[in-house]
Amino acid sequence: MEKEISKNFLEQIIEDDIENGKNEGRVHTRFPPEPNGYLHIGHAKSICLNFGLGESYNGKTNLRFDDTNPVKEDTEYVDAIKEDIKWLGFTWDNKAYYASDYFHELYAFAEKLIEDGKAFIDDSTQEEISEMRGTPAIPGTPSPNRNRSVEENLDLFRRMKAGEFDEGSRVLRAKIDLASPNMHMRDPIIYRILKAHHHRTGDEWCIYPMYDFAHGQSDSLEKITHSICTLEFENHKPLYNWFIENLEIYPTKQYEFARLNLNYTVMSKRKLLQLVEEGLVSGWDDPRMPTISGLRRRGYTPASIRNFAKRVGVARREHVIDVALLEFSVREDLNKIAHRVMGVLDPVKLVITNYPEGQEEMLSVENNPEDPTAGAREVPFAREIYVEREDYKKDANKKWFRLSEGKNVRLKGAYIINCEKAIFAEDGSLSEIHCTYYPDSKSGQDTSGIKAKGTLHWVSIAHGIPAEIRLYDRLFSVEAPLADPEKDFKEFINPDALKVITKAIIEPSLKHAKLGDFFQFMRKGYFVKDQDSTPENLVFNRTVTLRDGWAKKQEKK
Ligand code: ATP
Ligand code: MG
């Protein structure tokens, strides 16, 4: 049993709010992605957090797309995001929300600010505006347009909306405080001209609200009670609160937590997009990617990701989580549910010389010792089998419990065999191993009294089926690929992050494996069938090895 994890600071806040009758006792959270890329494991943490709080406190959680930048957004991303959230096991009332659904309300909010003398149209260029903004130490200077009349501002804003002006020629800025130490308060831009097609509103608009003018107000319009963001939004909060006060709208409260950082990968959508666009990975769902779709294709389970998010917890300080914890979570889950099967990744022929030629038998092998309901399957056994090349060693010492002249080993689910001799090719490579078997040593009915310390996996040559096996490792060979700003993070891509084995032989039961079935290839790790698989060319991905090989590497250093 998992130890009860103590309440995180957000749960404490929510419980206090409920106790004090805030928000009429309601709990309403949201997960607000920008549909400009696929979701990654960091988003998964935010999803588990927001939807999890909604569930725990009988509240609600909205899925809302903050789609204010038509240039970078696409329905492909909207669909992928929905699929990922559903796959993680969360639902959202069948209705997804969109900031773009509020474009009319947001426009009205902007007009209200103008009418109240709290926003103005600025004709300055981008460069002029950033220059006038000053630095944190030096106050900004007012734009020459700052004191335009309400009438002129309103007229210009309406004409901006009507498409009379060119992109970049004018913006709408809030009139707040040029001396504020918070740069976001120095007359921030709230609307800009973008003559771009929006994936939902089409060509209806040629002005779009800035993210900061849409995000907080969208929360308010949805009467979100607890708006949970990552820490980088902490200094946007005064601006969001300024909008709430000046527009007199629902006072959503924002709380920040530390984003999830993982070692040996990158988690910015911009960087992930680069990997995709430059063809350094096969797509957003490449199993090396930290995306939810990549992890799913790799063979991660929803439960493993939810458990990982729980273990990581919610903190107020930035830190980096070891990816080994994610791998631990998936091993833990797969150990419970994956059927044990046999596949030989680097096959070498083994002949059992005293097993009658032409004879074969079906052996019953249990599917999962961890799960008594998992049953058993029939595995064909015969005189000629494949075993793993690395399971034979010439001149082995006492600690070698695998194949070597004179040693006994058990074939999983079958017999104990004795290794008699190995045959080598001219180039010195191992070509065949000859063994004899003990007929009365059959698994489950062993009366032989013979001892064998090692148990090997094997596949009958006549019955085995060929498969392509993709072995994955960490995408980057260094812990922090972004640590050195002078260097291109792509230099650190791990060249061994994908190894393709084309000559593996797997047991015949795997012919009927379905996408989404989980397997443990005995001694080789956890595997799933890949979507590239065809009946002619079966493809399996290794999700994770059985043990943490990286921990060992670190110890050796
Ligand atoms: P990225 O920085 O990876 O491009 P983003 O913050 O721009 O991500 P959004 O679509 O805005 O992506 O994110 C949606 C939600 O997910 C936001 O509330 C954001 O705070 C949260 N989120 C993004 N990255 C992480 C992370 N690494 N850990 C936890 N939450 C995250
Ligand atoms: Mg963002």
Side-chain angles (χ1 to χ4, degrees):
M1 277 304 278
E2 189 115 348
K3 197 166 63 183
E4 166 124 28
I5 300 170
S6 60
K7 292 207 168 27
N8 66 49
F9 76 96
L10 291 167
E11 291 167 333
Q12 283 163 8
I13 289 170
I14 290 180
E15 291 187 10
D16 285 350
D17 286 352
I18 293 174
E19 210 175 290
N20 296 326
K22 275 203 195 148
N23 314 302
E24 305 90 43
R26 278 186 319 119
V27 175
H28 199 161
T29 58
R30 86 286 171 268
F31 174 67
E34 294 175 65
N36 59 0
Y38 282 59
L39 298 180
H40 52 59
I41 181 78
H43 295 115
K45 174 177 170 178
S46 178
I47 292 166
C48 293
L49 179 61
N50 279 296
F51 283 92
L53 289 170
E55 282 175 5
S56 308
Y57 295 101
N58 285 321
K60 274 173 97 174
T61 304
N62 290 0
L63 166 62
R64 184 184 69 245
F65 292 96
D66 275 340
D67 51 351
T68 54
N69 186 354
V71 185
K72 297 209 165 142
E73 294 161 6
D74 200 276
T75 41
E76 177 199 343
Y77 299 133
V78 170
D79 296 340
I81 288 170
K82 286 181 181 171
E83 189 187 339
D84 287 348
I85 300 175
K86 272 190 212 150
W87 179 76
L88 279 176
F90 299 106
T91 51
W92 56 86
D93 261 11
N94 283 325
K95 175 177 162 37
Y97 295 79
Y98 296 84
S100 55
D101 285 344
Y102 311 134
F103 279 171
H104 289 275
E105 281 93 339
L106 293 168
Y107 178 82
F109 288 154
E111 283 210 351
K112 173 172 165 57
L113 289 182
I114 294 173
E115 281 161 3
D116 294 345
K118 292 171 182 167
F120 66 99
I121 301 289
D122 198 347
D123 310 342
S124 312
T125 63
Q126 274 289 330
E127 295 74 46
E128 286 164 345
I129 291 176
S130 23
E131 218 157 275
M132 284 186 287
R133 204 162 262 166
T135 68
I138 304 167
T141 37
S143 157
N145 306 124
R146 199 172 198 258
N147 289 321
R148 270 185 164 141
S149 69
V150 168
E151 292 67 35
E152 193 186 357
N153 280 322
L154 213 47
D155 174 59
L156 286 172
F157 190 48
R158 287 176 182 168
R159 287 164 60 196
M160 260 170 74
K161 177 177 176 244
E164 281 187 35
F165 308 122
D166 288 339
E167 250 178 52
S169 62
R170 294 196 152 86
V171 291
L172 180 68
R173 297 176 68 180
K175 206 190 275 188
I176 310 182
D177 179 5
L178 290 162
S180 171
N182 183 335
M183 301 295 284
H184 297 290
M185 302 298 274
R186 294 191 183 175
D187 291 6
I189 298 172
I190 57 178
Y191 258 93
R192 79 274 210 211
I193 303 171
L194 274 179
K195 304 213 161 154
H197 186 84
H198 187 281
H199 64 102
R200 295 191 75 247
T201 57
D203 297 315
E204 185 186 352
W205 296 88
C206 61
I207 56 170
Y208 290 93
M210 298 299 288
Y211 179 86
D212 274 351
F213 194 67
H215 176 78
Q217 281 95 304
S218 300
D219 280 349
S220 286
L221 289 167
E222 291 169 17
K223 298 210 162 44
I224 300 301
T225 55
H226 300 81
S227 170
I228 296 163
C229 298
T230 34
L231 281 174
E232 70 271 20
F233 288 99
E234 191 162 22
N235 54 7
H236 295 240
K237 185 155 59 181
L239 178 60
Y240 297 170
N241 288 342
W242 188 89
F243 291 136
I244 285 176
E245 280 157 31
N246 287 278
L247 295 167
E248 298 169 56
I249 52 180
Y250 185 83
T252 294
K253 273 232 153 64
Q254 176 178 306
Y255 301 92
E256 305 84 17
F257 71 100
R259 61 172 42 225
L260 171 70
N261 300 302
L262 265 191
N263 58 8
Y264 295 102
T265 192
V266 295
M267 257 198 285
S268 129
K269 277 189 276 190
R270 250 192 28 242
K271 300 262 167 13
L272 296 175
L273 181 63
Q274 263 184 57
L275 297 176
V276 173
E277 286 186 334
E278 294 177 27
L280 297 166
V281 293
S282 65
W284 284 99
D285 68 347
D286 186 303
R288 288 167 290 182
M289 293 277 270
T291 50
I292 297 178
S293 48
L295 292 168
R296 173 168 62 235
R297 187 165 172 186
R298 173 119 166 211
Y300 273 72
T301 59
S304 67
I305 295 178
R306 291 197 306 263
N307 288 338
F308 169 72
K310 222 180 269 169
R311 285 206 171 94
V312 166
V314 190
R316 281 276 308 162
R317 274 217 355 243
E318 290 280 350
H319 56 299
V320 180
I321 300 291
D322 193 335
V323 68
L325 189 66
L326 181 63
E327 294 165 349
F328 170 83
S329 292
V330 75
R331 280 191 196 102
E332 176 192 53
D333 192 35
L334 291 176
N335 181 47
K336 285 186 261 173
I337 62 173
H339 279 196
R340 275 58 171 169
V341 293
M342 294 192 279
V344 180
L345 304 195
D346 185 12
V348 65
K349 181 175 176 180
L350 185 151
V351 183
I352 300 160
T353 53
N354 61 339
Y355 193 87
E357 267 179 69
Q359 179 173 316
E360 41 179 85
E361 61 188 298
M362 296 305 278
L363 302 169
S364 175
V365 183
E366 65 182 337
N367 286 326
N368 186 355
E370 302 287 323
D371 176 6
T373 67
R377 70 194 183 289
E378 302 270 282
V379 182
F381 182 76
R383 177 183 157 95
E384 295 188 346
I385 60 175
Y386 284 124
V387 293
E388 213 68 67
R389 186 170 293 273
E390 64 175 22
D391 281 340
Y392 170 83
K393 197 180 202 171
K394 217 175 153 57
D395 312 319
N397 66 14
K398 270 195 188 157
K399 286 189 185 149
W400 181 257
F401 300 129
R402 300 185 242 167
L403 293 164
S404 190
E405 277 78 354
K407 300 227 179 204
N408 286 335
V409 295
R410 171 165 300 280
L411 295 172
K412 172 71 184 174
Y415 299 93
I416 297 177
I417 55 173
N418 180 264
C419 179
E420 308 226 298
K421 69 170 178 190
I423 297 165
F424 293 88
E426 267 176 21
D427 64 0
S429 66
L430 178 65
S431 63
E432 223 173 276
I433 305 165
H434 287 189
C435 298
T436 51
Y437 84 121
Y438 301 95
D440 51 359
S441 67
K442 192 169 172 173
S443 269
Q445 344 174 348
D446 186 351
T447 54
S448 68
I450 305 236
K451 292 230 159 57
K453 280 202 171 150
T455 302
L456 304 186
H457 59 282
W458 54 273
V459 174
S460 157
I461 292 180
H463 304 88
I465 47 179
E468 176 183 325
I469 303 283
R470 299 177 182 170
L471 301 178
Y472 293 101
D473 203 343
R474 297 171 182 184
L475 181 52
F476 292 91
S477 43
V478 298
E479 278 199 47
L482 301 174
D484 185 349
E486 303 283 299
K487 291 221 168 129
D488 182 355
F489 73 103
K490 288 170 290 184
E491 278 175 36
F492 301 113
I493 289 183
N494 176 5
D496 299 324
L498 169 60
K499 276 194 209 142
V500 180
I501 293 179
T502 52
K503 295 205 160 57
I505 303 289
I506 59 181
E507 66 168 72
S509 73
L510 287 165
K511 201 178 211 150
H512 309 291
K514 294 192 288 295
L515 289 178
D517 287 347
F518 301 99
F519 299 101
Q520 184 192 100
F521 284 20
M522 188 186 156
R523 299 170 67 222
K524 287 291 157 190
Y526 292 100
F527 292 76
V528 280
K529 191 161 107 170
D530 188 77
Q531 64 200 41
D532 286 346
S533 207
T534 63
E536 294 72 42
N537 185 44
L538 291 176
V539 182
F540 283 83
N541 296 325
R542 179 158 72 187
T543 310
V544 69
T545 52
L546 293 177
R547 260 165 245 98
D548 182 0
W550 284 72
K552 255 196 222 144
K553 267 190 227 171
Q554 300 291 16
E555 275 166 27
K556 275 193 196 149
K557 271 189 196 166

